[in-house]
Coordinates of all heavy atoms in Angstrom, one line a residue:
M1 N 85.3 91.8 17.2 CA 84.1 92.2 16.6 C 83.0 92.3 17.7 O 82.8 91.4 18.5 CB 83.7 91.2 15.5 CG 82.4 91.6 14.8 SD 82.4 90.6 13.2 CE 80.7 90.0 13.4
S2 N 82.2 93.3 17.7 CA 81.2 93.4 18.6 C 79.9 92.7 18.2 O 79.6 92.6 17.1 CB 80.7 94.9 18.7 OG 79.7 95.2 19.6
L3 N 79.2 92.2 19.2 CA 78.0 91.4 19.0 C 76.8 92.5 18.7 O 75.7 92.2 18.3 CB 77.6 90.6 20.1 CG 78.5 89.4 20.3 CD1 78.1 88.7 21.5 CD2 78.6 88.5 19.1
I4 N 77.0 93.7 19.2 CA 76.1 94.7 19.0 C 76.5 95.7 17.9 O 77.6 96.1 17.7 CB 76.0 95.7 20.3 CG1 75.6 94.9 21.5 CG2 75.0 96.9 20.2 CD1 75.8 95.5 22.9
N5 N 75.5 96.0 17.0 CA 75.7 96.8 15.9 C 76.1 98.2 16.4 O 75.5 98.7 17.2 CB 74.5 96.9 14.9 CG 74.3 95.5 14.2 OD1 75.3 94.8 13.8 ND2 73.1 95.3 13.9
Q6 N 77.0 98.9 15.7 CA 77.5 100.2 16.1 C 77.9 101.0 14.9 O 78.3 100.3 14.0 CB 78.4 100.3 17.2 CG 79.6 99.5 16.8 CD 80.7 99.3 18.0 OE1 80.2 99.3 19.1 NE2 81.8 99.1 17.7
V7 N 77.8 102.3 14.9 CA 78.3 103.1 13.8 C 79.6 103.5 14.1 O 80.0 104.2 15.2 CB 77.2 104.3 13.7 CG1 77.8 105.2 12.5 CG2 75.9 103.9 13.4
E8 N 80.6 103.2 13.2 CA 81.9 103.6 13.4 C 82.1 105.2 13.0 O 81.3 105.6 12.2 CB 82.9 102.8 12.5 CG 83.0 101.4 13.0 CD 83.5 101.1 14.4 OE1 84.3 102.0 14.8 OE2 83.0 100.2 15.1
P9 N 83.1 105.8 13.6 CA 83.2 107.3 13.3 C 83.2 107.5 11.7 O 82.7 108.5 11.2 CB 84.5 107.7 13.9 CG 84.6 106.6 15.1 CD 83.9 105.3 14.6
E10 N 84.0 106.7 11.0 CA 84.1 107.0 9.6 C 82.8 106.8 8.8 O 82.6 107.2 7.7 CB 85.2 106.2 9.0 CG 85.0 104.6 9.0 CD 85.5 104.0 10.4 OE1 86.0 104.8 11.2 OE2 85.6 102.8 10.4
D11 N 81.8 106.2 9.4 CA 80.4 105.8 8.7 C 79.3 106.7 9.3 O 78.2 106.7 8.8 CB 80.1 104.4 9.0 CG 81.1 103.4 8.3 OD1 81.6 103.8 7.3 OD2 81.3 102.3 8.9
A12 N 79.7 107.5 10.3 CA 78.6 108.3 11.0 C 78.2 109.5 10.2 O 79.0 110.0 9.4 CB 79.2 108.9 12.3
E13 N 76.9 109.8 10.2 CA 76.3 110.9 9.5 C 75.3 111.7 10.4 O 74.8 111.1 11.4 CB 75.5 110.3 8.3 CG 76.3 109.6 7.2 CD 75.4 109.0 6.1 OE1 74.1 109.1 6.2 OE2 75.9 108.5 5.2
G14 N 75.1 112.8 10.1 CA 74.2 113.7 10.9 C 74.7 114.0 12.3 O 75.8 114.2 12.5
E15 N 73.7 113.9 13.1 CA 74.0 114.2 14.6 C 75.0 113.3 15.2 O 75.9 113.8 15.9 CB 72.8 114.2 15.4 CG 72.9 114.8 16.7 CD 71.6 115.2 17.5 OE1 70.6 114.4 17.3 OE2 71.5 116.3 18.1
P16 N 75.0 112.0 14.9 CA 76.0 111.1 15.5 C 77.4 111.6 15.0 O 78.4 111.5 15.9 CB 75.6 109.7 15.0 CG 74.1 109.7 14.9 CD 74.0 111.1 14.4
A17 N 77.6 112.0 13.8 CA 78.9 112.5 13.2 C 79.3 113.7 14.1 O 80.5 113.8 14.3 CB 78.8 112.7 11.8
E18 N 78.3 114.6 14.2 CA 78.7 115.8 15.1 C 79.2 115.6 16.4 O 80.1 116.1 16.9 CB 77.5 116.8 15.1 CG 77.0 117.4 13.8 CD 75.8 118.0 13.7 OE1 75.2 118.4 14.9 OE2 75.2 118.2 12.6
I19 N 78.4 114.6 17.1 CA 78.8 114.2 18.5 C 80.2 113.5 18.5 O 81.0 113.7 19.3 CB 77.7 113.4 19.1 CG1 76.4 114.2 19.3 CG2 78.1 112.8 20.4 CD1 75.2 113.4 19.7
Y20 N 80.4 112.7 17.5 CA 81.7 112.0 17.4 C 82.8 112.9 17.3 O 83.9 112.9 17.9 CB 81.7 111.0 16.2 CG 81.1 109.7 16.4 CD1 80.4 109.2 17.6 CD2 81.1 108.7 15.3 CE1 79.8 108.2 17.7 CE2 80.5 107.5 15.6 CZ 79.8 107.1 16.8 OH 79.3 105.9 16.9
A21 N 82.6 114.0 16.5 CA 83.6 115.1 16.2 C 83.8 115.7 17.4 O 85.0 116.1 17.8 CB 83.2 116.0 15.1
A22 N 82.8 116.1 18.1 CA 82.9 116.9 19.4 C 83.7 116.0 20.4 O 84.5 116.5 21.1 CB 81.6 117.2 20.0
A23 N 83.3 114.7 20.6 CA 84.0 113.8 21.5 C 85.5 113.8 21.1 O 86.4 113.7 22.1 CB 83.3 112.4 21.5
R24 N 85.8 113.6 19.9 CA 87.2 113.5 19.5 C 88.0 114.8 19.8 O 89.1 114.7 20.3 CB 87.3 113.4 17.9 CG 88.2 112.3 17.6 CD 88.4 112.1 16.1 NE 87.8 111.0 15.5 CZ 86.8 110.9 14.6 NH1 86.2 112.0 14.2 NH2 86.3 109.7 14.3
Q25 N 87.3 115.9 19.7 CA 87.9 117.3 20.0 C 88.2 117.3 21.5 O 89.3 117.7 22.0 CB 86.9 118.4 19.6 CG 87.6 119.8 19.8 CD 86.7 120.9 19.3 OE1 85.6 120.6 18.8 NE2 87.2 122.1 19.5
V26 N 87.2 116.9 22.4 CA 87.4 117.0 23.8 C 88.2 115.9 24.4 O 89.1 116.1 25.3 CB 86.0 116.9 24.5 CG1 86.1 116.8 25.9 CG2 85.1 118.2 24.1
M27 N 88.1 114.6 23.9 CA 88.8 113.5 24.6 C 89.8 113.0 23.6 O 90.6 112.1 24.2 CB 87.6 112.3 24.8 CG 86.6 112.7 25.8 SD 85.4 111.4 26.2 CE 84.1 112.0 25.2
G28 N 89.9 113.2 22.5 CA 90.8 112.7 21.6 C 90.5 111.5 20.8 O 91.3 110.9 20.1
Y29 N 89.4 110.9 21.1 CA 88.8 109.7 20.6 C 87.4 109.5 20.7 O 86.8 110.3 21.5 CB 89.7 108.4 21.1 CG 89.3 108.2 22.6 CD1 88.4 107.2 22.9 CD2 89.8 108.9 23.6 CE1 88.0 106.9 24.2 CE2 89.5 108.6 24.9 CZ 88.6 107.7 25.2 OH 88.3 107.4 26.5
V30 N 86.8 108.6 20.1 CA 85.4 108.3 20.2 C 85.2 107.1 21.1 O 85.7 105.9 20.8 CB 84.8 108.1 18.9 CG1 83.2 107.7 19.1 CG2 84.8 109.3 18.0
P31 N 84.7 107.3 22.3 CA 84.6 106.1 23.3 C 83.7 105.0 22.8 O 82.8 105.2 21.9 CB 84.0 106.6 24.6 CG 84.3 108.0 24.5 CD 84.3 108.4 23.1
N32 N 84.0 103.7 23.1 CA 83.2 102.6 22.6 C 81.7 102.7 23.1 O 80.9 102.3 22.3 CB 83.8 101.2 23.1 CG 85.1 100.9 22.3 OD1 85.3 101.4 21.2 ND2 86.0 100.2 23.0
G33 N 81.6 103.3 24.2 CA 80.2 103.4 24.8 C 79.4 104.4 23.8 O 78.2 104.1 23.7
F34 N 80.0 105.3 23.2 CA 79.3 106.2 22.3 C 78.8 105.4 21.0 O 77.8 105.7 20.5 CB 80.1 107.4 21.9 CG 80.2 108.5 23.0 CD1 80.2 108.3 24.3 CD2 80.4 109.8 22.5 CE1 80.2 109.3 25.1 CE2 80.5 110.8 23.5 CZ 80.4 110.5 24.8
K35 N 79.8 104.6 20.6 CA 79.5 103.9 19.3 C 78.4 102.8 19.7 O 77.5 102.7 18.7 CB 80.8 103.0 19.0 CG 81.9 103.8 18.5 CD 83.0 102.9 18.2 CE 84.4 103.8 18.1 NZ 85.6 102.8 17.9
V36 N 78.3 102.3 20.8 CA 77.1 101.4 21.2 C 75.8 102.1 21.1 O 74.8 101.5 20.6 CB 77.4 100.7 22.5 CG1 76.1 100.0 22.9 CG2 78.5 99.8 22.4
H37 N 75.9 103.3 21.5 CA 74.6 104.1 21.6 C 74.3 104.8 20.2 O 73.2 105.5 20.0 CB 74.6 105.2 22.7 CG 74.5 104.7 23.9 ND1 75.7 104.2 24.7 CD2 73.6 104.5 24.9 CE1 75.1 103.8 25.9 NE2 73.9 103.9 26.0
S38 N 75.2 104.6 19.3 CA 75.1 105.4 18.1 C 73.8 104.9 17.1 O 73.4 105.8 16.2 CB 76.3 105.2 17.2 OG 76.4 103.9 16.8
L39 N 73.3 103.8 17.3 CA 72.1 103.5 16.5 C 70.9 104.2 16.8 O 69.8 104.2 16.1 CB 71.9 101.9 16.6 CG 73.0 101.1 16.0 CD1 72.7 99.6 16.1 CD2 73.1 101.4 14.5
N40 N 70.8 104.8 18.1 CA 69.7 105.6 18.6 C 70.3 107.1 18.7 O 70.8 107.4 19.9 CB 69.2 105.0 19.9 CG 67.9 105.8 20.3 OD1 67.7 107.0 20.0 ND2 67.1 105.1 21.0
P41 N 70.3 107.9 17.8 CA 70.8 109.3 17.9 C 70.3 110.0 19.1 O 71.2 110.7 19.8 CB 70.5 109.9 16.6 CG 70.3 108.8 15.6 CD 69.7 107.6 16.4
Q42 N 69.1 109.8 19.5 CA 68.6 110.5 20.7 C 69.3 110.0 21.9 O 69.7 110.9 22.9 CB 67.0 110.3 20.8 CG 66.5 111.1 21.9 CD 65.0 110.8 22.1 OE1 64.4 110.0 21.3 NE2 64.4 111.6 23.0
K43 N 69.5 108.7 22.0 CA 70.3 108.2 23.2 C 71.7 108.6 23.3 O 72.3 108.9 24.3 CB 70.1 106.6 23.1 CG 70.5 106.0 24.4 CD 69.5 106.3 25.5 CE 69.8 105.5 26.7 NZ 69.2 106.1 27.9
L44 N 72.3 108.6 22.1 CA 73.7 109.2 22.0 C 73.8 110.6 22.5 O 74.7 111.0 23.1 CB 74.2 109.1 20.5 CG 75.6 109.5 20.2 CD1 76.6 108.7 21.2 CD2 75.9 109.2 18.8
K45 N 72.8 111.4 22.0 CA 72.8 112.8 22.4 C 72.6 113.0 24.0 O 73.3 113.8 24.5 CB 71.7 113.6 21.8 CG 71.7 115.1 21.9 CD 70.5 115.8 21.2 CE 70.5 117.2 21.7 NZ 69.4 117.9 20.9
Q46 N 71.8 112.2 24.5 CA 71.6 112.2 25.9 C 72.8 111.7 26.7 O 73.3 112.4 27.7 CB 70.4 111.3 26.4 CG 69.1 111.7 26.0 CD 68.0 110.7 26.2 OE1 68.3 109.5 26.5 NE2 66.8 111.2 26.2
L47 N 73.5 110.8 26.1 CA 74.8 110.3 26.7 C 75.8 111.5 26.8 O 76.6 111.7 27.6 CB 75.4 109.1 26.0 CG 76.8 108.6 26.5 CD1 76.7 108.2 27.9 CD2 77.2 107.4 25.7
W48 N 76.0 112.1 25.5 CA 76.9 113.2 25.3 C 76.7 114.4 26.2 O 77.5 114.9 26.9 CB 76.9 113.7 23.9 CG 77.8 114.8 23.6 CD1 77.5 116.1 23.2 CD2 79.2 114.9 23.8 NE1 78.5 116.9 23.0 CE2 79.7 116.2 23.4 CE3 80.1 114.0 24.2 CZ2 81.0 116.6 23.5 CZ3 81.5 114.4 24.2 CH2 81.9 115.6 23.9
E49 N 75.4 114.7 26.5 CA 75.1 115.8 27.3 C 75.2 115.3 28.8 O 75.7 116.2 29.6 CB 73.4 116.1 27.2 CG 73.2 116.8 25.9 CD 71.7 117.0 25.6 OE1 70.8 116.4 26.3 OE2 71.4 117.7 24.6
Y50 N 75.1 114.1 29.2 CA 75.4 113.6 30.5 C 76.8 113.7 30.8 O 77.3 114.2 31.8 CB 74.9 112.2 30.6 CG 75.3 111.5 31.8 CD1 74.9 111.8 33.2 CD2 76.3 110.5 31.7 CE1 75.3 111.2 34.3 CE2 76.7 109.9 32.9 CZ 76.2 110.1 34.1 OH 76.8 109.5 35.3
M51 N 77.6 113.3 29.8 CA 79.0 113.3 30.0 C 79.6 114.7 30.0 O 80.4 115.0 30.8 CB 79.8 112.6 28.8 CG 79.6 111.1 28.8 SD 80.0 110.2 30.2 CE 81.9 110.5 30.2
G52 N 78.9 115.7 29.4 CA 79.3 117.1 29.5 C 79.0 117.6 30.9 O 79.7 118.5 31.3
T53 N 77.9 117.2 31.4 CA 77.6 117.6 32.8 C 78.6 117.0 33.7 O 79.0 117.8 34.6 CB 76.1 117.1 33.2 OG1 75.1 117.6 32.3 CG2 75.8 117.4 34.6
I54 N 79.1 115.9 33.6 CA 80.1 115.3 34.5 C 81.4 116.1 34.4 O 82.1 116.4 35.3 CB 80.2 113.7 34.3 CG1 79.0 113.1 34.7 CG2 81.5 113.3 34.8 CD1 79.0 111.6 34.4
M55 N 81.8 116.3 33.0 CA 83.1 116.9 32.8 C 83.1 118.3 33.3 O 84.2 118.9 33.5 CB 83.4 116.9 31.4 CG 83.7 115.4 30.8 SD 84.2 115.4 29.1 CE 82.7 115.4 28.2
Q56 N 81.9 119.0 33.4 CA 81.9 120.4 33.9 C 81.6 120.6 35.4 O 81.3 121.6 35.9 CB 81.0 121.2 33.1 CG 81.4 121.3 31.6 CD 80.2 121.9 30.8 OE1 79.4 122.5 31.2 NE2 80.5 121.8 29.4
H57 N 81.5 119.4 36.2 CA 81.1 119.4 37.5 C 82.1 120.2 38.3 O 83.3 120.2 38.1 CB 81.1 118.0 38.1 CG 80.4 117.9 39.4 ND1 81.0 118.2 40.6 CD2 79.2 117.6 39.8 CE1 80.2 118.1 41.6 NE2 79.1 117.7 41.0
P58 N 81.6 121.2 39.1 CA 82.6 122.1 39.8 C 83.5 121.5 40.8 O 84.6 122.1 41.2 CB 81.5 123.1 40.4 CG 80.3 122.4 40.5 CD 80.2 121.4 39.5
T59 N 83.1 120.4 41.4 CA 84.0 119.9 42.5 C 84.5 118.4 42.2 O 85.3 118.0 42.9 CB 83.2 119.8 43.9 OG1 82.1 119.1 43.7 CG2 82.9 121.3 44.3
L60 N 83.9 117.8 41.2 CA 84.2 116.4 40.9 C 85.2 116.3 39.8 O 84.8 116.8 38.6 CB 82.9 115.6 40.7 CG 83.0 114.1 40.9 CD1 83.2 113.8 42.3 CD2 81.6 113.5 40.5
S61 N 86.4 115.9 39.9 CA 87.3 115.8 38.8 C 87.0 114.7 37.8 O 86.2 113.8 38.2 CB 88.7 115.5 39.3 OG 88.9 114.2 39.7
G62 N 87.3 114.8 36.6 CA 87.0 113.8 35.7 C 87.6 112.4 36.1 O 86.9 111.4 35.9
E63 N 88.8 112.4 36.6 CA 89.4 111.2 37.1 C 88.5 110.4 38.3 O 88.3 109.3 38.3 CB 90.8 111.4 37.5 CG 91.8 111.7 36.4 CD 91.8 113.3 36.2 OE1 91.1 114.1 36.9 OE2 92.5 113.6 35.2
L64 N 88.1 111.3 39.2 CA 87.3 110.8 40.4 C 86.0 110.3 39.8 O 85.5 109.2 40.1 CB 87.1 111.9 41.4 CG 86.4 111.4 42.6 CD1 86.9 110.2 43.3 CD2 86.2 112.6 43.6
S65 N 85.4 111.0 38.9 CA 84.1 110.7 38.3 C 84.2 109.2 37.6 O 83.4 108.3 37.7 CB 83.6 111.7 37.4 OG 82.5 111.3 36.8
A66 N 85.3 109.1 36.9 CA 85.5 107.8 36.2 C 85.8 106.7 37.1 O 85.2 105.7 36.9 CB 86.7 108.0 35.2
F67 N 86.5 107.0 38.1 CA 86.7 106.0 39.2 C 85.5 105.5 39.9 O 85.3 104.4 40.1 CB 87.7 106.5 40.2 CG 88.3 105.5 41.3 CD1 89.0 104.4 40.8 CD2 87.9 105.6 42.6 CE1 89.4 103.5 41.7 CE2 88.3 104.7 43.5 CZ 89.2 103.6 43.0
I68 N 84.6 106.5 40.2 CA 83.4 106.1 40.8 C 82.4 105.3 39.9 O 81.9 104.3 40.3 CB 82.5 107.4 41.2 CG1 83.3 108.2 42.4 CG2 81.1 107.1 41.6 CD1 82.8 109.6 42.7
R69 N 82.4 105.7 38.6 CA 81.6 104.8 37.6 C 82.2 103.5 37.5 O 81.5 102.5 37.4 CB 81.6 105.6 36.3 CG 80.8 106.8 36.3 CD 80.5 107.4 34.9 NE 81.6 107.4 34.0 CZ 82.5 108.5 34.0 NH1 82.3 109.5 34.8 NH2 83.4 108.6 33.1
M70 N 83.6 103.3 37.5 CA 84.2 102.1 37.6 C 83.9 101.2 38.7 O 83.5 99.9 38.6 CB 85.7 102.2 37.3 CG 86.4 100.9 37.0 SD 87.0 99.9 38.5 CE 87.8 101.1 39.4
L71 N 83.9 101.8 39.8 CA 83.7 101.0 41.1 C 82.2 100.6 41.1 O 81.9 99.5 41.6 CB 83.8 101.9 42.4 CG 85.4 102.1 42.7 CD1 85.4 103.1 43.9 CD2 86.0 100.9 42.9
V72 N 81.2 101.4 40.7 CA 79.7 101.0 40.6 C 79.7 99.9 39.6 O 78.9 98.9 39.9 CB 78.9 102.2 40.2 CG1 77.5 101.7 39.9 CG2 78.9 103.2 41.3
S73 N 80.3 99.9 38.5 CA 80.3 98.9 37.5 C 80.8 97.6 38.0 O 80.2 96.5 37.9 CB 81.1 99.3 36.3 OG 81.1 98.3 35.2
V74 N 81.9 97.6 38.8 CA 82.4 96.5 39.3 C 81.4 95.9 40.4 O 81.2 94.7 40.4 CB 83.8 96.6 40.0 CG1 84.3 95.6 40.9 CG2 84.9 96.9 39.0
D75 N 80.9 96.7 41.3 CA 80.0 96.4 42.3 C 78.8 95.7 41.7 O 78.2 94.7 42.2 CB 79.6 97.5 43.1 CG 78.6 97.2 44.3 OD1 79.1 96.4 45.1 OD2 77.5 97.7 44.2
Q76 N 78.2 96.2 40.6 CA 76.9 95.7 39.9 C 77.4 94.5 38.8 O 76.4 94.2 38.2 CB 76.3 96.9 39.2 CG 75.8 97.9 40.1 CD 74.8 97.4 41.2 OE1 73.8 96.8 40.8 NE2 75.1 97.7 42.4
R77 N 78.6 94.1 38.8 CA 79.1 93.1 38.0 C 78.6 93.3 36.5 O 78.1 92.4 35.9 CB 78.5 91.7 38.5 CG 79.1 91.3 39.8 CD 78.4 90.0 40.2 NE 79.2 89.3 41.3 CZ 78.9 89.6 42.6 NH1 78.1 90.7 43.0 NH2 79.6 89.0 43.5
C78 N 79.0 94.5 36.1 CA 78.6 94.8 34.6 C 79.8 95.3 34.0 O 80.8 95.6 34.6 CB 77.5 95.7 34.5 SG 77.7 97.3 35.2

C-alpha cells in the first residue's frame, strides 16, 4: 500500500483516464509514476508529454534513456 494517494486505472476519470489508456496502449501498463502524479491532472499531462518526447527522441533509444534516468536516480539516492 502506498503512503501517497493515487488514482488507480479502474478509478480514473477524465484526462487521467485518457492518459492511462494511452500509456496502456503504448507501454502495455500504467507505470506507478503516473499513478503518483494522477492527483494533479496537469502534472500527469506534463509527465505524459515529457515521456512522449523521450520515446520519440531521434538518437536516444528508450532503453538507453531509461538506463540514464536510473543512473541519475541512484546517484541522487532517490
Side-chain angles (χ1 to χ4, degrees):
M1 181 165 132
S2 176
L3 295 175
I4 299 172
N5 291 330
Q6 56 191 27
V7 178
E8 293 299 326
E10 59 273 8
D11 299 325
E13 297 176 353
E15 194 165 35
E18 293 171 17
I19 292 171
Y20 281 2
R24 230 188 248 113
Q25 184 177 2
V26 171
M27 296 182 261
Y29 67 101
V30 177
N32 288 332
F34 282 33
K35 295 176 193 176
V36 170
H37 286 88
S38 63
L39 292 178
N40 183 335
Q42 183 179 7
K43 193 69 174 159
L44 177 61
K45 183 178 179 181
Q46 288 173 343
L47 175 62
W48 177 242
E49 290 171 352
Y50 168 72
M51 291 303 294
T53 301
I54 289 173
M55 289 187 277
Q56 295 174 12
H57 195 279
T59 58
L60 206 60
S61 72
E63 292 84 4
L64 181 57
S65 174
F67 188 65
I68 291 168
R69 290 192 313 273
M70 189 269 313
L71 287 175
V72 170
S73 181
V74 168
D75 183 64
Q76 297 298 308
R77 293 179 168 83
C78 63

